[in-house]
Amino acid sequence: MELRAVCPADEAELLQAFERMSSDARYMRFMHAIREPDIERVRSALASFPEKGIGLVATVPAADGIDIVGSAIAVFANDGASCEFAITVASAFGGAGLATTLMNALIDEARRRGRTQIEGFVLTQNQPMLRLARRLGFSVEMEPGDPSVRVCRMALSKPSDAAAARP
C-alpha cells in the first residue's frame, strides 16, 4: 500500500472508489443518500489541493494500475487556522488500521501547514469513526440543533511542540 498526496490525475480512480462504496458507506461519508458523485465538485476539489487543503490517498496495485482504497481530506477554512476533515476507507480495508494511518497523516500535515484546529462532522451512528476520533484525542460533542451529528475537534500544536511532547 502507498500513502501519497492526491492529484488531478486520480479523478478516474476516485470515481471508481465511489462506485465500489455501498449505499450505507456513502451515507456515512456524505451524510445523505447519494447515488452519483458530483464530477464538477470532484474536479474542483482536486484542483484546489494543495493551496486550499490537503488530500491524501491510500493506493494498492490493481489490474488497471492502482485502486484507491482510502482517502482523507482537510479543507482549509477562511480563518487561516482551522480545517475540516473527511475520510473514507474501502470496506475491504476496514479494521486494518488504514483509517488511523490516514488520520494521523492528515493531522501531521495540517499541523505542518500551520493549522491550529481540525474538525469533522460525523453521524452519530458512525460509531467506528467516533471511536477513532476519541482514540486519537479529538473531543466529540453533539452538534447544536442536530442530535444525529457529532462534531469531532482537535487543537493542533505547532510541529516543534508536538515533537517535544512525543516520548
Side-chain angles (χ1 to χ4, degrees), residues 2 36 48 52 73 98 123 156 161:
E2 178 185 5
E36 295 182 22
S48 74
K52 295 184 180 182
I73 64 167
L98 180 54
L123 290 171
L156 301 175
D161 295 343

Side-chain angles (χ1 to χ4, degrees), residues 70-157:
S71 65
I73 64 167
V75 177
F76 297 160
N78 290 333
D79 64 12
S82 61
C83 57
E84 181 179 335
F85 75 82
I87 184 169
T88 306
V89 173
S91 59
F93 290 80
L98 180 54
T100 301
T101 299
L102 283 164
M103 281 301 297
N104 280 327
L106 194 65
I107 291 165
D108 288 347
E109 183 62 13
R111 183 179 289 123
R112 190 187 72 71
R113 302 237 343 242
R115 301 297 127 169
T116 58
Q117 179 175 282
I118 187 168
E119 69 179 8
F121 298 86
V122 180
L123 290 171
T124 302
Q125 66 196 63
N126 191 347
Q127 289 299 307
M129 184 63 220
L130 293 173
R131 281 191 299 273
L132 172 62
R134 287 184 182 101
R135 195 169 59 249
L136 293 178
F138 283 80
S139 67
V140 177
E141 301 170 4
M142 188 181 330
E143 169 72 359
D146 190 347
S148 70
V149 176
R150 298 293 181 260
V151 182
C152 302
R153 284 192 182 94
M154 175 188 282
L156 301 175
S157 57

Side-chain angles (χ1 to χ4, degrees), residues 8 41-54 74-76 113:
R41 189 171 181 187
V42 170
R43 287 179 182 151
S44 176
L46 288 171
S48 74
F49 298 135
E51 292 80 19
K52 295 184 180 182
I54 303 161
V75 177
F76 297 160
R113 302 237 343 242

Side-chain angles (χ1 to χ4, degrees), residues 4-15 42-51 68:
R4 62 169 175 80
V6 71
C7 64
D10 289 325
E11 179 183 323
E13 291 301 329
L14 286 167
L15 295 174
V42 170
R43 287 179 182 151
S44 176
L46 288 171
S48 74
F49 298 135
E51 292 80 19
I68 292 175

